[in-house]
Amino acid sequence: MALITLRRNLCHLSDFRIHGALAALKSQPVNHVHKVVGERLGPRFSSRQPEPFRVRFHHARCKEFHSENGNDLPPAGEPVFSHDRDGFEQNLKSMDEQIFYRRLNSSASSEEVLSFINTLETLPDTMAAAALQRVCEVAQKDGEQRLPKAVLENPVFQALCVPFEQEPSKLSNTSLVTALQALTLLDVGPQSNLLRSLVAECQHRLHRGGLEVHGLCVLGESLIQLQGPGCATLDLIIYQLQGENLETFPPEDIVALYRILQACAEKADQHQTFLNKINNFALSIVSNLSPKSISQVLTALVVLDQTQALPLVIKLGKYVVRHIPHFTNQELRKVLEAFIYFGHNDRFLTTALEQHVASLCLTLDPEVVSTVTEYCSRKRILSEPILNAVAETFVCQLEKFSPSQISELIEAFGRLNYLPPNASALFRKLEDRLFTHINYFPPKTLLKLLHSCSLIECHPVNFMAKLFSPYFLQRLLGEESHLDRLSLAQLTQLLLTSILECPFYKGPKLLPKYQVKSFLTPCCSLETPVDFQLYKFVMSGLIDSLGARQYFASKVLTPYCYTIDVEIKLDEEGFVLPFTVNEDVHKRVALCIDGPNRFCLNSKHLLGKEAIKQRHLRLLGYKVVQIPYYEIETLKSRLELVEYLQRKLFSQNAGICW
């Protein structure tokens, strides 16, 4: 371990007789200090083999540090001379590193760190680098973008930096990369002499193959921060890391490796073989990762599009459950975004989220609230504890939510077909916000929000005239040549809602040119396609029940944009007619063959878009007969299926005869 004698970096030997730390340095400009250092250090190191490097401060007594170790303190005015090397070595031997790092990490400000360092006589270079890192860390925590001028001009800080700038070749690898990592935490400028010196020395050792795994990872991340992911040296770093045995990597370096590759996401294909090895090895270290590291790995997997790494995602998910209370808001948001991306869900994760959200109901960050809600919405998770807590937070802290976050919350309620207990207060608050700030909502965001309200029968009657106005439609169009299919479908369904469920609405209607013919489209559909296997099974039972295929039609597009899974036509007396007959049709039966995807996850609760479809079909005069998957799954034979369909179709209340 190298030792840096900072005492030599401060001033001429005669100046050390001045009582008080760094008094001589305060009287000289930094350039003068550098000149003296060069003159004093040059001959000393050129005439003999390199010796251990040390940081040395001059002060009357090492009061705080040595008193903790029980050392006797010298008289206050007794000078200490640089040639007393035996004394220096004794000081180093008596240093307790645990006490040093504990005191260093407890320092809450840069000034406190420097004040503590000023009480020490000598410092090994690793400790000096750690002190430099702590100075930068606490400045960053205070929200600083760069080191304050008071710190940069502090004599102790200047003295601490001198050996790192002028003699980086004397530093150990650990001290070198720690100092570099520290200075990249804050904006000190890539042209800084100190930074330039550290980077040059790191690159020199890199080309010699002298950096170990941790040094390579720190250098890679530092260069990304300073020069961007296009840095040419980065390829060499990744190449050298590929040649290392992953089993020798500590968990923190595996996480750093993910961050480096994430920064070079455009080259992910080139590194896919290496990524596969990392993904496989990472399975063995998941249990050792901190919440922050888990969040960073998941984020990297998303950016690098590692969809083939699902075993790793699933294992990370198991440990996420344990760490839910310990994630920061930002980390939790990244974790949930990754699970949304990979399509991962877990009932234990849902339970943990319910407990976490409920316990922090009114203190959660709006971004986290909207992400948790989006996660439930995307995965069709009807979690009443989460949705109720979200609704309560929304009512109490509405002013903190942005238009997009408000839309995401309401979309979740609409998609999951759920009204919270405080629904009246929630929609009253929402309406007030829209009346006062409606122009702050982007057109598509506003349309999605109001359409979601209609799914759960909270019809936006007061805003329909605005939605159907030419001005809004022009804003919705923007710079595009035509409106997207989803927006047109939402507008059309809102028009149908105004006619069927809000007959008292007398405002403008949507022009025919903006209306779609079908809500069922390959993408962005307002209907869920029928489950094919379930459909085939029910079809076979219908043929046996009705006697022939001609007595029912399948996948029928109605004049009202909805597609019916199976339609049966009845005459005035309730007898079944062939589907080709269009005369004497008195009643139409719509069979909704509802597979699992039409319900909330693991529940019998219809999604909002399926609920509004069945509601509208009834208002249009159809007799809606629901055939849910969970009833079909209980049937064990074809005979049971036929009997089940006959009960559904020919019950006393069905009005169907055969």
Side-chain angles (χ1 to χ4, degrees):
M1 177 175 61
L3 300 172
I4 304 174
T5 308
L6 205 63
R7 180 175 184 175
R8 300 192 192 103
N9 298 334
L10 298 176
C11 50
H12 192 273
L13 178 62
S14 61
D15 290 329
F16 276 90
R17 299 185 182 276
I18 301 176
H19 181 67
L22 312 178
L25 181 63
K26 295 179 181 177
S27 64
Q28 301 289 350
V30 177
N31 291 338
H32 172 73
V33 173
H34 291 181
K35 182 178 179 181
V36 172
V37 169
E39 292 171 355
R40 299 290 175 185
L41 284 182
R44 183 179 182 86
F45 284 98
S46 61
S47 61
R48 55 185 299 178
Q49 293 296 320
E51 62 180 32
F53 226 28
R54 71 175 70 202
V55 177
R56 181 177 175 104
F57 294 87
H58 173 65
H59 53 84
R61 58 172 65 188
C62 303
K63 184 175 180 180
E64 295 183 31
F65 190 84
H66 289 294
S67 62
E68 287 179 301
N69 286 277
N71 293 341
D72 294 332
L73 300 175
E78 185 176 325
V80 182
F81 296 95
S82 62
H83 62 269
D84 186 8
R85 296 196 51 79
D86 291 337
F88 288 159
E89 298 301 330
Q90 188 62 38
N91 284 338
L92 287 174
K93 290 177 182 178
S94 67
M95 289 180 72
D96 186 333
E97 288 192 15
Q98 290 186 351
I99 295 175
F100 172 82
Y101 286 113
R102 185 169 65 245
R103 176 65 187 277
L104 189 66
N105 292 330
S106 67
S107 300
S109 67
S110 301
E111 291 76 13
E112 193 175 340
V113 174
L114 296 175
S115 178
F116 166 56
I117 295 301
N118 193 29
T119 66
L120 307 178
E121 180 149 343
T122 58
L123 271 183
D125 61 340
T126 53
M127 291 186 178
L132 191 61
Q133 186 175 40
R134 186 60 182 167
V135 169
C136 296
E137 284 177 350
V138 293
Q140 187 184 46
K141 287 179 181 178
D142 292 338
E144 298 287 348
Q145 297 300 314
R146 56 188 307 153
L147 283 174
K149 185 178 179 181
V151 173
L152 292 171
E153 294 180 351
N154 188 298
V156 179
F157 180 77
Q158 293 176 346
L160 198 61
C161 292
V162 167
F164 292 100
E165 179 180 346
Q166 295 201 347
E167 292 289 342
S169 61
K170 306 297 182 184
L171 302 172
S172 65
N173 282 346
T174 301
S175 304
L176 182 67
V177 297
T178 300
L180 178 62
Q181 187 178 41
L183 292 169
T184 53
L185 288 175
L186 296 171
D187 179 19
V188 295
Q191 301 307 315
S192 160
N193 289 335
L194 177 56
L195 258 183
R196 194 160 45 198
S197 176
L198 293 174
V199 169
E201 178 61 26
C202 283
Q203 290 178 328
H204 175 65
R205 297 188 192 188
L206 170 68
H207 288 287
R208 288 187 324 184
L211 289 179
E212 68 286 346
V213 168
H214 181 68
L216 291 169
C217 291
V218 172
L219 177 59
E221 289 199 273
S222 299
L223 289 177
I224 290 169
Q225 185 75 18
L226 294 170
Q227 302 175 15
C231 171
T233 309
L234 208 54
D235 290 334
L236 177 58
I237 293 173
I238 295 175
Y239 174 77
Q240 289 195 16
L241 286 168
Q242 288 177 358
E244 300 287 343
N245 182 3
L246 288 178
E247 294 182 359
T248 64
F249 284 47
E252 58 270 18
D253 286 341
I254 291 292
V255 178
L257 192 49
Y258 271 116
R259 292 194 299 263
I260 291 171
L261 293 170
Q262 174 187 340
C264 309
E266 68 282 355
K267 298 180 180 179
D269 291 341
Q270 300 175 23
H271 305 308
Q272 190 56 57
T273 303
F274 187 35
L275 272 166
N276 291 340
K277 289 173 59 180
I278 299 171
N279 293 337
N280 292 331
F281 176 74
L283 286 165
S284 65
I285 65 165
V286 169
S287 59
N288 298 321
L289 297 180
S290 66
K292 180 179 180 180
S293 296
I294 289 175
S295 176
Q296 290 177 344
V297 170
L298 283 169
T299 301
L301 292 174
V302 170
V303 174
L304 295 166
D305 191 29
Q306 297 299 288
T307 52
Q308 73 281 8
L310 285 180
L312 177 57
V313 173
I314 292 170
K315 189 165 185 179
L316 287 167
K318 292 179 180 179
Y319 283 87
V320 162
V321 174
R322 306 179 186 183
H323 294 305
I324 286 291
H326 309 296
F327 286 111
T328 65
N329 286 337
Q330 180 74 359
E331 289 165 358
L332 180 58
R333 189 168 65 84
K334 292 293 185 182
V335 165
L336 293 178
E337 286 175 351
F339 287 158
I340 291 170
Y341 182 84
F342 289 110
H344 174 73
N345 67 80
D346 185 312
R347 62 188 178 90
F348 299 107
L349 174 62
T350 302
T351 302
L353 282 174
E354 287 175 347
Q355 296 171 351
H356 182 64
V357 172
S359 64
L360 301 175
C361 178
L362 300 180
T363 59
L364 278 175
D365 186 80
E367 285 191 357
V368 176
V369 173
S370 62
T371 306
V372 171
T373 311
E374 183 186 5
Y375 173 74
C376 291
S377 176
R378 293 280 193 95
K379 304 312 300 175
R380 310 192 330 271
I381 299 171
L382 181 60
S383 170
E384 293 189 11
I386 290 177
L387 295 176
N388 291 346
V390 166
E392 191 65 31
T393 303
F394 180 82
V395 169
C396 296
Q397 303 184 44
L398 175 59
E399 65 284 349
K400 294 184 179 180
F401 288 83
S402 68
S404 61
Q405 290 168 348
I406 293 174
S407 179
E408 286 169 0
L409 264 59
I410 302 302
E411 283 181 66
F413 287 111
R415 175 173 168 78
L416 299 172
N417 188 25
Y418 181 72
L419 279 173
N422 65 342
S424 58
L426 186 150
F427 285 98
R428 186 168 57 250
K429 283 267 191 177
L430 175 62
E431 188 174 34
D432 292 342
R433 177 67 175 267
L434 289 175
F435 272 129
T436 55
H437 295 88
I438 195 167
N439 291 330
Y440 291 96
F441 287 78
K444 286 189 179 180
T445 299
L446 180 62
L447 176 58
K448 286 191 293 185
L449 188 158
L450 296 178
H451 176 261
S452 298
C453 292
S454 71
L455 296 181
I456 43 179
E457 300 183 81
C458 295
H459 306 301
V461 180
N462 292 330
F463 303 97
M464 283 183 178
K466 180 178 181 62
L467 291 180
F468 300 148
S469 70
Y471 173 73
F472 178 79
L473 294 172
Q474 189 62 37
R475 284 187 61 209
L476 192 63
L477 182 62
E479 297 180 357
E480 302 295 327
S481 58
H482 59 275
L483 284 175
D484 64 277
R485 176 81 185 183
L486 178 60
S487 296
L488 291 174
Q490 289 170 336
L491 286 167
T492 305
Q493 195 168 52
L494 279 169
L495 173 65
L496 195 57
T497 298
S498 69
I499 295 171
L500 297 176
E501 301 187 73
C502 310
F504 48 85
Y505 172 72
K506 303 300 180 184
K509 304 294 184 181
L510 184 67
L511 295 175
K513 68 176 182 178
Y514 294 112
Q515 299 175 26
V516 297
K517 301 299 182 184
S518 172
F519 293 140
L520 184 62
T521 54
C523 62
C524 304
S525 178
L526 296 187
E527 296 182 71
T528 306
V530 67
D531 183 281
F532 183 66
Q533 295 299 327
L534 186 62
Y535 168 74
K536 284 204 308 181
F537 186 58
V538 173
M539 286 275 286
S540 64
L542 281 172
I543 292 172
D544 291 345
S545 296
L546 299 179
R549 177 68 178 80
Q550 64 175 331
Y551 289 107
F552 63 91
S554 59
K555 300 180 182 178
V556 178
L557 176 62
T558 70
Y560 314 102
C561 307
Y562 290 112
T563 299
I564 299 174
D565 298 328
V566 172
E567 182 185 58
I568 299 174
K569 297 176 181 179
L570 307 176
D571 65 11
E572 192 170 356
E573 295 180 2
F575 286 97
V576 178
L577 298 171
F579 73 85
T580 54
V581 174
N582 292 318
E583 298 83 11
D584 301 323
V585 177
H586 179 72
K587 191 79 172 179
R588 296 173 187 267
V589 179
L591 264 67
C592 296
I593 305 173
D594 295 328
N597 289 338
R598 293 184 178 179
F599 295 87
C600 294
L601 190 67
N602 300 323
S603 79
K604 300 178 182 180
H605 190 84
L606 274 175
L607 295 175
K609 61 182 178 181
E610 302 305 322
I612 193 175
K613 173 183 176 178
Q614 295 186 16
R615 196 164 69 238
H616 282 182
L617 288 175
R618 290 188 181 95
L619 290 170
L620 288 165
Y622 285 86
K623 177 66 181 179
V624 177
V625 176
Q626 188 180 11
I627 311 291
Y629 76 98
Y630 52 83
E631 292 180 356
I632 296 293
E633 286 177 348
T634 63
L635 306 177
K636 298 176 182 175
S637 67
R638 184 108 168 223
L639 179 60
E640 287 188 10
L641 173 63
V642 172
E643 291 175 350
Y644 167 80
L645 291 173
Q646 286 178 342
R647 286 196 305 272
K648 283 280 188 176
L649 294 173
F650 305 123
S651 67
Q652 188 175 6
N653 296 327
I656 304 175
C657 302
W658 182 246

